Amino acid sequence: MSDLIVLNDKEQKAAAKSFAEFWKDKGYEKGESQPFWLSLLRDVLGIQHPEQYINFESKVKLDNTSFIDGYISETHVLIEQKSLGKNLRQPIKQSDGTKLSPFQQAKRYSSELSYSERPRWIVICNFEEFHIYDMENPRGEPEVIFLKDFPKEYYRLQFLINSESEHIKKEMEISLKAGEIVGEFYEELLKQYRDGTSEKALKSLNMLCVRLVFCLYAEDAGVFGAHGKFHDYLKQYEVKDIRRAIIDLFKILNTKEEERDPYLDSVLLSFPYVNGGLFADEDIEIPNFTDRLRNLILKNASEDFDWSEISPTIFGAVFESTLNPETRRSGGMHYTSIQNIHKVIDPLFLNELKEEFSNIKLVVVEKTKIKKLMEFQEKLSSLNFLDPACGSGNFLTQTYIEIRKLENEVLKTISGKQMFLDTGNIIKVKINQFHGIEINDFAVTVGKTALWIAESQMMKKTEELMSINLDFLPLKSYPHIVEGNALQMDWEEVISKDKLNYIMGNPPFVGKKEQTKEQKAELILLFEKKIKGIGNLDYVAGWYKKAIDYMQESKIMGAFVSTNSIVQGEQVPILWKELLKLDIIINFAYQPFKWESEIKNKAAVHCVIVGFSCINKKDKFLFANDSQVRKVDNINPYLLDAETVIIENRNSQIDNRPNILYGNMPIDDGNLILSKDEVEELLKENPKNEILIKKYMGGNELINNRERWCLWLKNINPKTLRESKIVSDRIMKTKIFRENSNRPQTKALADTPYLFGEIRQPNTKMLVVPKVSSENRKYIPLAFINPEIIVNGSALIIPNADLYELGILISNVHMAWMRIVCGRMKSDYQYSGSVVYNNFPWCESTDKQKEKIEMTAQAILDARNLYPESSLADLYDELTMPAELRKAHQQNDKAVMEAYGFPVKTDFTESMCVAKLMEMYKEKIEKIKK
């Protein structure tokens, strides 16, 4: 590496601030890219000779010679630079006529590099935003860093100069480190219990860890008066005496100073009275300590670590994950990032509060301004919040911090202009405004502790701001987090709806297949009647129903993070028809985005955020991502700026188009399906057996070009079947399987064990649609198949379809519709004939438009044929899609858009497209009803 100038934290912060100020509102791609990156590497990250460290304009050979804007070989970073103001997600026309986003462009360059040069990181930049893609997870959403945030987030670019650094996430690393420390002494303490599997021991251990962490935090944050007070108290004891010392300390922390034994050790008596219930239970089991435990607490946890700077929002969740047996078994930790919490609380209430505060500061008359500021502070202190699935309280904790920050800003503005008669009561916002329901008893304890830590930190900031001393102890505020099942209890018992302002949170993500019988029963009870399809609802649906029932005749606003399945596919008509009867209004929403998990090797969940109430707010906001938000008139249950329309299951097409069928279902326990070896064995038995064998294809075989075969014995002479011992044996096994079934329909099929259970094979060429396809593909790969190939139930069949149908169905118009209304299998698209195809509104094409679409559809097939050895999976991978095929699709997209009368321009989004289609759908349905 080029020589590195070691900058301390203060110097780096100052350098990052200067860099951000200098480059603010500057940035031309060709003329200023290199100075920008050279300065960043040298001035902020400390590379002494950055010109020797980064290569600019490296050649890469595509169909023409192109140039990589920047490449750092030592850390394998590829940089794609755009000018200031360029949208980093918007496709740009390339020299070959295709349109690629900057990230797709960078991936294209990457694919042409040798494997040793392939980038680990791809950075897309426009001088004010850095989108960082980790190529270990190339399908993931980028981490986004803004130039304006450099002074506090410069460390997230450390990966540019340190190949081992992956700290590009915003989460405060100190909180994660704290979780590791807790995990270490948890493991060691567990070994000391006589019966570490008993419920009492595990509960005692959890509470012991909570108390130790509070003491470690309190000594670093000055809550105990002197820095290192807890450390120094324990250090004076030998290992054999530490257990007794801790028991004595806990008792003192729970005893008022005037009620203490005055003859106790003076060091012990110097500890303050804590209260708050944290040290109240004297019945917890505390084991003996070891030398290793003593060292872990005194050295690792105390001397080598500063607890005062932890983020209570994150640490509460990390702490619970570390000590909760359920999450420990899952092999990692999972928490809601502060960034994702803000996606909920900002549009729900925080943006409005900040705007109100900003407007008050603009008041010219000083006396009026002070009056309004004090009224605003009173308003902040009157707000009440509820998280009915609060876990370790991270939504409540972050909300408390943000409300207190606003209060501190108010105090800062008033300071020097207003006399405070009682500085002890200067803080109006209390943690008893923050209410939660949580089923896990330990999470309840952690949530309360996280709020206390947040209260302590914010009080310190108020002290610094106002130059006053405030008493944090004894704990005067009581977090109203209660243990219970939120779907079974009355929320009015937690807080009256007349006093509540906001409901928020991230209720459990439990799909229909993962739910217990008890959870399914809870949903049925909540919806008060047997709604058709209620068994298909995600568990989170219960929180929506419970919240909307609670909100009736109130001004409460709510917002939940949810799995995206509740706004897609079959769940929409089941859930939202019921919620709409209760006058639910969606006031803001985040369209589907990836909610990354911190659990290793666990797939990201696709989520939405829905802000709702029974009040129709004038201004509604629809978020496509963090940087794209639109003010809209209406948000429907599919989270589109469109009329409120429900797409229901339909048995036939709403337009006069070919019917769609399920593929053939063998219902045979695998006995009629053949591998390559089994085909060879059958032909070896008798070459004439060839007439019994057909190619067998489903979605997987179609997409990945895999081969399977089946016994297709329809209209075959019985004599021929009996001549083959192999075939007879397989028919017999099929008969036995069907006879032993508990399903009457399957039992009936035992009379014809030589036939597939469900036969829908057409005699004509058919268009085949895979039922499941990767969400990473822009287009589901449809294909024509001849009737000699037997299509199974993992695909759908459209008999008699022609090039025109292919052109429409594989277009971006139909794909946009599919992405919104289809269901999902994990994150993959699950195409449905009854929902996606049968409800799709076809355009009224002129003969000329139809002819053009047929031509562009044929061009797609021709482009595929240029690569006969490539599977559809190869051809439709966004990284490896051939230019000819991409161009053919773009031409087909354009032709279909024109036939629909949609504008062919980049700012006509998929959401706008589907909104138009929903208008067409509504009109067609109304005509059908007439």
Side-chain angles (χ1 to χ4, degrees), residues 222-248:
V223 173
F224 281 166
H227 186 83
K229 189 175 181 68
F230 176 61
H231 169 276
D232 294 345
Y233 168 72
L234 284 186
K235 192 176 181 180
Q236 66 183 325
Y237 292 98
E238 297 294 327
V239 172
K240 64 182 179 63
D241 299 319
I242 285 188
R243 177 180 181 273
R244 171 46 54 191
I246 286 176
I247 292 171
D248 291 344

PDB file of all heavy atoms in Angstrom, residues 222-248:
ATOM      1  N   GLY A 222     -21.050   8.185  34.642  1.00  0.00           N
ATOM      2  CA  GLY A 222     -21.074   9.107  35.767  1.00  0.00           C
ATOM      3  C   GLY A 222     -22.313   8.995  36.623  1.00  0.00           C
ATOM      4  O   GLY A 222     -22.527   9.805  37.529  1.00  0.00           O
ATOM      5  N   VAL A 223     -23.151   7.985  36.336  1.00  0.00           N
ATOM      6  CA  VAL A 223     -24.388   7.817  37.111  1.00  0.00           C
ATOM      7  C   VAL A 223     -24.074   7.454  38.559  1.00  0.00           C
ATOM      8  O   VAL A 223     -24.781   7.853  39.491  1.00  0.00           O
ATOM      9  CB  VAL A 223     -25.278   6.726  36.460  1.00  0.00           C
ATOM     10  CG1 VAL A 223     -26.493   6.412  37.328  1.00  0.00           C
ATOM     11  CG2 VAL A 223     -25.737   7.186  35.075  1.00  0.00           C
ATOM     12  N   PHE A 224     -22.991   6.704  38.777  1.00  0.00           N
ATOM     13  CA  PHE A 224     -22.600   6.310  40.137  1.00  0.00           C
ATOM     14  C   PHE A 224     -21.727   7.365  40.824  1.00  0.00           C
ATOM     15  O   PHE A 224     -21.233   7.155  41.929  1.00  0.00           O
ATOM     16  CB  PHE A 224     -21.838   4.982  40.109  1.00  0.00           C
ATOM     17  CG  PHE A 224     -22.722   3.767  39.986  1.00  0.00           C
ATOM     18  CD1 PHE A 224     -22.178   2.528  39.659  1.00  0.00           C
ATOM     19  CD2 PHE A 224     -24.082   3.843  40.200  1.00  0.00           C
ATOM     20  CE1 PHE A 224     -22.989   1.398  39.552  1.00  0.00           C
ATOM     21  CE2 PHE A 224     -24.906   2.728  40.091  1.00  0.00           C
ATOM     22  CZ  PHE A 224     -24.353   1.498  39.769  1.00  0.00           C
ATOM     23  N   GLY A 225     -21.537   8.481  40.144  1.00  0.00           N
ATOM     24  CA  GLY A 225     -20.773   9.570  40.760  1.00  0.00           C
ATOM     25  C   GLY A 225     -19.340   9.618  40.301  1.00  0.00           C
ATOM     26  O   GLY A 225     -18.890  10.629  39.775  1.00  0.00           O
ATOM     27  N   ALA A 226     -18.594   8.547  40.472  1.00  0.00           N
ATOM     28  CA  ALA A 226     -17.172   8.535  40.089  1.00  0.00           C
ATOM     29  C   ALA A 226     -16.942   7.512  38.984  1.00  0.00           C
ATOM     30  O   ALA A 226     -17.530   6.429  38.983  1.00  0.00           O
ATOM     31  CB  ALA A 226     -16.305   8.197  41.299  1.00  0.00           C
ATOM     32  N   HIS A 227     -16.062   7.859  38.062  1.00  0.00           N
ATOM     33  CA  HIS A 227     -15.725   6.950  36.978  1.00  0.00           C
ATOM     34  C   HIS A 227     -14.995   5.729  37.544  1.00  0.00           C
ATOM     35  O   HIS A 227     -14.104   5.844  38.373  1.00  0.00           O
ATOM     36  CB  HIS A 227     -14.832   7.658  35.948  1.00  0.00           C
ATOM     37  CG  HIS A 227     -14.571   6.831  34.727  1.00  0.00           C
ATOM     38  ND1 HIS A 227     -15.463   6.767  33.690  1.00  0.00           N
ATOM     39  CD2 HIS A 227     -13.535   6.021  34.404  1.00  0.00           C
ATOM     40  CE1 HIS A 227     -14.982   5.961  32.754  1.00  0.00           C
ATOM     41  NE2 HIS A 227     -13.814   5.497  33.166  1.00  0.00           N
ATOM     42  N   GLY A 228     -15.393   4.535  37.097  1.00  0.00           N
ATOM     43  CA  GLY A 228     -14.741   3.308  37.539  1.00  0.00           C
ATOM     44  C   GLY A 228     -15.157   2.859  38.932  1.00  0.00           C
ATOM     45  O   GLY A 228     -14.499   2.005  39.520  1.00  0.00           O
ATOM     46  N   LYS A 229     -16.250   3.384  39.422  1.00  0.00           N
ATOM     47  CA  LYS A 229     -16.659   3.095  40.808  1.00  0.00           C
ATOM     48  C   LYS A 229     -17.024   1.614  40.998  1.00  0.00           C
ATOM     49  O   LYS A 229     -16.623   0.989  41.988  1.00  0.00           O
ATOM     50  CB  LYS A 229     -17.850   3.984  41.180  1.00  0.00           C
ATOM     51  CG  LYS A 229     -18.219   3.940  42.656  1.00  0.00           C
ATOM     52  CD  LYS A 229     -19.333   4.940  42.936  1.00  0.00           C
ATOM     53  CE  LYS A 229     -19.709   4.943  44.405  1.00  0.00           C
ATOM     54  NZ  LYS A 229     -18.644   5.474  45.272  1.00  0.00           N
ATOM     55  N   PHE A 230     -17.757   1.051  40.064  1.00  0.00           N
ATOM     56  CA  PHE A 230     -18.139  -0.358  40.152  1.00  0.00           C
ATOM     57  C   PHE A 230     -16.905  -1.246  40.042  1.00  0.00           C
ATOM     58  O   PHE A 230     -16.745  -2.215  40.797  1.00  0.00           O
ATOM     59  CB  PHE A 230     -19.145  -0.671  39.036  1.00  0.00           C
ATOM     60  CG  PHE A 230     -19.556  -2.116  38.942  1.00  0.00           C
ATOM     61  CD1 PHE A 230     -20.186  -2.745  40.002  1.00  0.00           C
ATOM     62  CD2 PHE A 230     -19.324  -2.852  37.784  1.00  0.00           C
ATOM     63  CE1 PHE A 230     -20.579  -4.085  39.917  1.00  0.00           C
ATOM     64  CE2 PHE A 230     -19.698  -4.182  37.683  1.00  0.00           C
ATOM     65  CZ  PHE A 230     -20.339  -4.797  38.754  1.00  0.00           C
ATOM     66  N   HIS A 231     -15.997  -0.896  39.133  1.00  0.00           N
ATOM     67  CA  HIS A 231     -14.745  -1.635  38.936  1.00  0.00           C
ATOM     68  C   HIS A 231     -13.916  -1.645  40.227  1.00  0.00           C
ATOM     69  O   HIS A 231     -13.444  -2.693  40.690  1.00  0.00           O
ATOM     70  CB  HIS A 231     -13.966  -0.997  37.785  1.00  0.00           C
ATOM     71  CG  HIS A 231     -12.555  -1.503  37.645  1.00  0.00           C
ATOM     72  ND1 HIS A 231     -11.504  -0.989  38.381  1.00  0.00           N
ATOM     73  CD2 HIS A 231     -12.028  -2.459  36.856  1.00  0.00           C
ATOM     74  CE1 HIS A 231     -10.392  -1.618  38.054  1.00  0.00           C
ATOM     75  NE2 HIS A 231     -10.676  -2.507  37.120  1.00  0.00           N
ATOM     76  N   ASP A 232     -13.770  -0.464  40.794  1.00  0.00           N
ATOM     77  CA  ASP A 232     -12.932  -0.352  41.996  1.00  0.00           C
ATOM     78  C   ASP A 232     -13.538  -1.091  43.185  1.00  0.00           C
ATOM     79  O   ASP A 232     -12.812  -1.644  44.029  1.00  0.00           O
ATOM     80  CB  ASP A 232     -12.715   1.122  42.356  1.00  0.00           C
ATOM     81  CG  ASP A 232     -11.899   1.845  41.284  1.00  0.00           C
ATOM     82  OD1 ASP A 232     -11.278   1.147  40.451  1.00  0.00           O
ATOM     83  OD2 ASP A 232     -11.908   3.082  41.261  1.00  0.00           O
ATOM     84  N   TYR A 233     -14.857  -1.101  43.256  1.00  0.00           N
ATOM     85  CA  TYR A 233     -15.538  -1.816  44.348  1.00  0.00           C
ATOM     86  C   TYR A 233     -15.253  -3.327  44.250  1.00  0.00           C
ATOM     87  O   TYR A 233     -14.882  -3.964  45.236  1.00  0.00           O
ATOM     88  CB  TYR A 233     -17.039  -1.543  44.283  1.00  0.00           C
ATOM     89  CG  TYR A 233     -17.860  -2.443  45.180  1.00  0.00           C
ATOM     90  CD1 TYR A 233     -17.840  -2.298  46.570  1.00  0.00           C
ATOM     91  CD2 TYR A 233     -18.650  -3.458  44.634  1.00  0.00           C
ATOM     92  CE1 TYR A 233     -18.574  -3.139  47.389  1.00  0.00           C
ATOM     93  CE2 TYR A 233     -19.397  -4.302  45.449  1.00  0.00           C
ATOM     94  CZ  TYR A 233     -19.357  -4.139  46.825  1.00  0.00           C
ATOM     95  OH  TYR A 233     -20.082  -4.980  47.635  1.00  0.00           O
ATOM     96  N   LEU A 234     -15.409  -3.887  43.039  1.00  0.00           N
ATOM     97  CA  LEU A 234     -15.207  -5.325  42.875  1.00  0.00           C
ATOM     98  C   LEU A 234     -13.740  -5.726  42.998  1.00  0.00           C
ATOM     99  O   LEU A 234     -13.416  -6.804  43.499  1.00  0.00           O
ATOM    100  CB  LEU A 234     -15.741  -5.792  41.511  1.00  0.00           C
ATOM    101  CG  LEU A 234     -17.251  -5.921  41.335  1.00  0.00           C
ATOM    102  CD1 LEU A 234     -17.574  -6.542  39.985  1.00  0.00           C
ATOM    103  CD2 LEU A 234     -17.882  -6.749  42.451  1.00  0.00           C
ATOM    104  N   LYS A 235     -12.863  -4.838  42.548  1.00  0.00           N
ATOM    105  CA  LYS A 235     -11.435  -5.169  42.507  1.00  0.00           C
ATOM    106  C   LYS A 235     -10.857  -5.443  43.891  1.00  0.00           C
ATOM    107  O   LYS A 235      -9.890  -6.204  44.039  1.00  0.00           O
ATOM    108  CB  LYS A 235     -10.663  -4.034  41.825  1.00  0.00           C
ATOM    109  CG  LYS A 235      -9.225  -4.410  41.473  1.00  0.00           C
ATOM    110  CD  LYS A 235      -8.535  -3.294  40.703  1.00  0.00           C
ATOM    111  CE  LYS A 235      -7.115  -3.704  40.338  1.00  0.00           C
ATOM    112  NZ  LYS A 235      -6.414  -2.633  39.585  1.00  0.00           N
ATOM    113  N   GLN A 236     -11.454  -4.879  44.906  1.00  0.00           N
ATOM    114  CA  GLN A 236     -10.904  -5.046  46.260  1.00  0.00           C
ATOM    115  C   GLN A 236     -11.184  -6.439  46.849  1.00  0.00           C
ATOM    116  O   GLN A 236     -10.670  -6.804  47.902  1.00  0.00           O
ATOM    117  CB  GLN A 236     -11.474  -3.968  47.176  1.00  0.00           C
ATOM    118  CG  GLN A 236     -12.972  -4.080  47.410  1.00  0.00           C
ATOM    119  CD  GLN A 236     -13.520  -2.970  48.265  1.00  0.00           C
ATOM    120  OE1 GLN A 236     -12.851  -2.489  49.183  1.00  0.00           O
ATOM    121  NE2 GLN A 236     -14.755  -2.542  47.983  1.00  0.00           N
ATOM    122  N   TYR A 237     -12.011  -7.230  46.122  1.00  0.00           N
ATOM    123  CA  TYR A 237     -12.387  -8.545  46.648  1.00  0.00           C
ATOM    124  C   TYR A 237     -11.662  -9.679  45.926  1.00  0.00           C
ATOM    125  O   TYR A 237     -11.412  -9.612  44.717  1.00  0.00           O
ATOM    126  CB  TYR A 237     -13.900  -8.764  46.501  1.00  0.00           C
ATOM    127  CG  TYR A 237     -14.715  -7.865  47.397  1.00  0.00           C
ATOM    128  CD1 TYR A 237     -15.272  -6.688  46.907  1.00  0.00           C
ATOM    129  CD2 TYR A 237     -14.907  -8.188  48.745  1.00  0.00           C
ATOM    130  CE1 TYR A 237     -15.998  -5.846  47.721  1.00  0.00           C
ATOM    131  CE2 TYR A 237     -15.648  -7.347  49.571  1.00  0.00           C
ATOM    132  CZ  TYR A 237     -16.188  -6.189  49.061  1.00  0.00           C
ATOM    133  OH  TYR A 237     -16.913  -5.352  49.887  1.00  0.00           O
ATOM    134  N   GLU A 238     -11.353 -10.712  46.683  1.00  0.00           N
ATOM    135  CA  GLU A 238     -10.820 -11.942  46.101  1.00  0.00           C
ATOM    136  C   GLU A 238     -11.965 -12.659  45.362  1.00  0.00           C
ATOM    137  O   GLU A 238     -13.147 -12.401  45.626  1.00  0.00           O
ATOM    138  CB  GLU A 238     -10.265 -12.851  47.208  1.00  0.00           C
ATOM    139  CG  GLU A 238      -9.095 -12.256  47.983  1.00  0.00           C
ATOM    140  CD  GLU A 238      -7.867 -12.091  47.110  1.00  0.00           C
ATOM    141  OE1 GLU A 238      -7.660 -12.923  46.193  1.00  0.00           O
ATOM    142  OE2 GLU A 238      -7.111 -11.123  47.335  1.00  0.00           O
ATOM    143  N   VAL A 239     -11.581 -13.582  44.504  1.00  0.00           N
ATOM    144  CA  VAL A 239     -12.580 -14.294  43.701  1.00  0.00           C
ATOM    145  C   VAL A 239     -13.656 -14.930  44.588  1.00  0.00           C
ATOM    146  O   VAL A 239     -14.851 -14.836  44.300  1.00  0.00           O
ATOM    147  CB  VAL A 239     -11.903 -15.380  42.823  1.00  0.00           C
ATOM    148  CG1 VAL A 239     -12.944 -16.252  42.145  1.00  0.00           C
ATOM    149  CG2 VAL A 239     -11.014 -14.729  41.802  1.00  0.00           C
ATOM    150  N   LYS A 240     -13.255 -15.557  45.672  1.00  0.00           N
ATOM    151  CA  LYS A 240     -14.191 -16.277  46.535  1.00  0.00           C
ATOM    152  C   LYS A 240     -15.213 -15.353  47.195  1.00  0.00           C
ATOM    153  O   LYS A 240     -16.287 -15.794  47.641  1.00  0.00           O
ATOM    154  CB  LYS A 240     -13.439 -17.063  47.607  1.00  0.00           C
ATOM    155  CG  LYS A 240     -12.645 -16.208  48.582  1.00  0.00           C
ATOM    156  CD  LYS A 240     -11.889 -17.067  49.591  1.00  0.00           C
ATOM    157  CE  LYS A 240     -11.068 -16.216  50.556  1.00  0.00           C
ATOM    158  NZ  LYS A 240     -11.872 -15.334  51.379  1.00  0.00           N
ATOM    159  N   ASP A 241     -14.921 -14.037  47.241  1.00  0.00           N
ATOM    160  CA  ASP A 241     -15.801 -13.091  47.929  1.00  0.00           C
ATOM    161  C   ASP A 241     -16.656 -12.250  46.964  1.00  0.00           C
ATOM    162  O   ASP A 241     -17.488 -11.451  47.420  1.00  0.00           O
ATOM    163  CB  ASP A 241     -14.969 -12.147  48.798  1.00  0.00           C
ATOM    164  CG  ASP A 241     -14.185 -12.899  49.871  1.00  0.00           C
ATOM    165  OD1 ASP A 241     -14.770 -13.832  50.462  1.00  0.00           O
ATOM    166  OD2 ASP A 241     -13.008 -12.564  50.090  1.00  0.00           O
ATOM    167  N   ILE A 242     -16.448 -12.411  45.669  1.00  0.00           N
ATOM    168  CA  ILE A 242     -17.151 -11.539  44.709  1.00  0.00           C
ATOM    169  C   ILE A 242     -18.657 -11.785  44.709  1.00  0.00           C
ATOM    170  O   ILE A 242     -19.445 -10.848  44.601  1.00  0.00           O
ATOM    171  CB  ILE A 242     -16.547 -11.682  43.291  1.00  0.00           C
ATOM    172  CG1 ILE A 242     -15.207 -10.945  43.250  1.00  0.00           C
ATOM    173  CG2 ILE A 242     -17.491 -11.135  42.224  1.00  0.00           C
ATOM    174  CD1 ILE A 242     -14.582 -10.826  41.898  1.00  0.00           C
ATOM    175  N   ARG A 243     -19.068 -13.041  44.833  1.00  0.00           N
ATOM    176  CA  ARG A 243     -20.507 -13.323  44.857  1.00  0.00           C
ATOM    177  C   ARG A 243     -21.183 -12.530  45.974  1.00  0.00           C
ATOM    178  O   ARG A 243     -22.205 -11.871  45.754  1.00  0.00           O
ATOM    179  CB  ARG A 243     -20.743 -14.821  45.052  1.00  0.00           C
ATOM    180  CG  ARG A 243     -22.226 -15.192  45.162  1.00  0.00           C
ATOM    181  CD  ARG A 243     -22.406 -16.693  45.345  1.00  0.00           C
ATOM    182  NE  ARG A 243     -23.815 -17.020  45.431  1.00  0.00           N
ATOM    183  CZ  ARG A 243     -24.546 -17.010  46.539  1.00  0.00           C
ATOM    184  NH1 ARG A 243     -23.948 -16.689  47.703  1.00  0.00           N
ATOM    185  NH2 ARG A 243     -25.826 -17.327  46.516  1.00  0.00           N
ATOM    186  N   ARG A 244     -20.628 -12.582  47.190  1.00  0.00           N
ATOM    187  CA  ARG A 244     -21.203 -11.867  48.313  1.00  0.00           C
ATOM    188  C   ARG A 244     -21.160 -10.362  48.088  1.00  0.00           C
ATOM    189  O   ARG A 244     -22.114  -9.645  48.408  1.00  0.00           O
ATOM    190  CB  ARG A 244     -20.440 -12.254  49.601  1.00  0.00           C
ATOM    191  CG  ARG A 244     -20.758 -11.452  50.862  1.00  0.00           C
ATOM    192  CD  ARG A 244     -22.232 -11.231  51.132  1.00  0.00           C
ATOM    193  NE  ARG A 244     -23.016 -12.451  51.168  1.00  0.00           N
ATOM    194  CZ  ARG A 244     -24.334 -12.491  51.185  1.00  0.00           C
ATOM    195  NH1 ARG A 244     -25.025 -11.345  51.125  1.00  0.00           N
ATOM    196  NH2 ARG A 244     -24.989 -13.628  51.229  1.00  0.00           N
ATOM    197  N   ALA A 245     -20.078  -9.870  47.478  1.00  0.00           N
ATOM    198  CA  ALA A 245     -19.940  -8.430  47.216  1.00  0.00           C
ATOM    199  C   ALA A 245     -21.034  -7.952  46.262  1.00  0.00           C
ATOM    200  O   ALA A 245     -21.601  -6.854  46.432  1.00  0.00           O
ATOM    201  CB  ALA A 245     -18.558  -8.138  46.630  1.00  0.00           C
ATOM    202  N   ILE A 246     -21.348  -8.762  45.262  1.00  0.00           N
ATOM    203  CA  ILE A 246     -22.382  -8.385  44.287  1.00  0.00           C
ATOM    204  C   ILE A 246     -23.762  -8.419  44.932  1.00  0.00           C
ATOM    205  O   ILE A 246     -24.587  -7.517  44.707  1.00  0.00           O
ATOM    206  CB  ILE A 246     -22.309  -9.311  43.051  1.00  0.00           C
ATOM    207  CG1 ILE A 246     -21.079  -8.928  42.209  1.00  0.00           C
ATOM    208  CG2 ILE A 246     -23.570  -9.224  42.210  1.00  0.00           C
ATOM    209  CD1 ILE A 246     -20.835  -9.812  41.014  1.00  0.00           C
ATOM    210  N   ILE A 247     -24.029  -9.433  45.743  1.00  0.00           N
ATOM    211  CA  ILE A 247     -25.315  -9.509  46.444  1.00  0.00           C
ATOM    212  C   ILE A 247     -25.501  -8.278  47.338  1.00  0.00           C
ATOM    213  O   ILE A 247     -26.566  -7.650  47.355  1.00  0.00           O
ATOM    214  CB  ILE A 247     -25.405 -10.806  47.281  1.00  0.00           C
ATOM    215  CG1 ILE A 247     -25.483 -12.026  46.340  1.00  0.00           C
ATOM    216  CG2 ILE A 247     -26.607 -10.773  48.220  1.00  0.00           C
ATOM    217  CD1 ILE A 247     -25.360 -13.359  47.055  1.00  0.00           C
ATOM    218  N   ASP A 248     -24.444  -7.894  48.060  1.00  0.00           N
ATOM    219  CA  ASP A 248     -24.510  -6.718  48.943  1.00  0.00           C
ATOM    220  C   ASP A 248     -24.739  -5.443  48.139  1.00  0.00           C
ATOM    221  O   ASP A 248     -25.517  -4.569  48.546  1.00  0.00           O
ATOM    222  CB  ASP A 248     -23.216  -6.591  49.746  1.00  0.00           C
ATOM    223  CG  ASP A 248     -23.060  -7.701  50.793  1.00  0.00           C
ATOM    224  OD1 ASP A 248     -24.072  -8.367  51.097  1.00  0.00           O
ATOM    225  OD2 ASP A 248     -21.933  -7.899  51.276  1.00  0.00           O
TER     226      ASP A 248
END
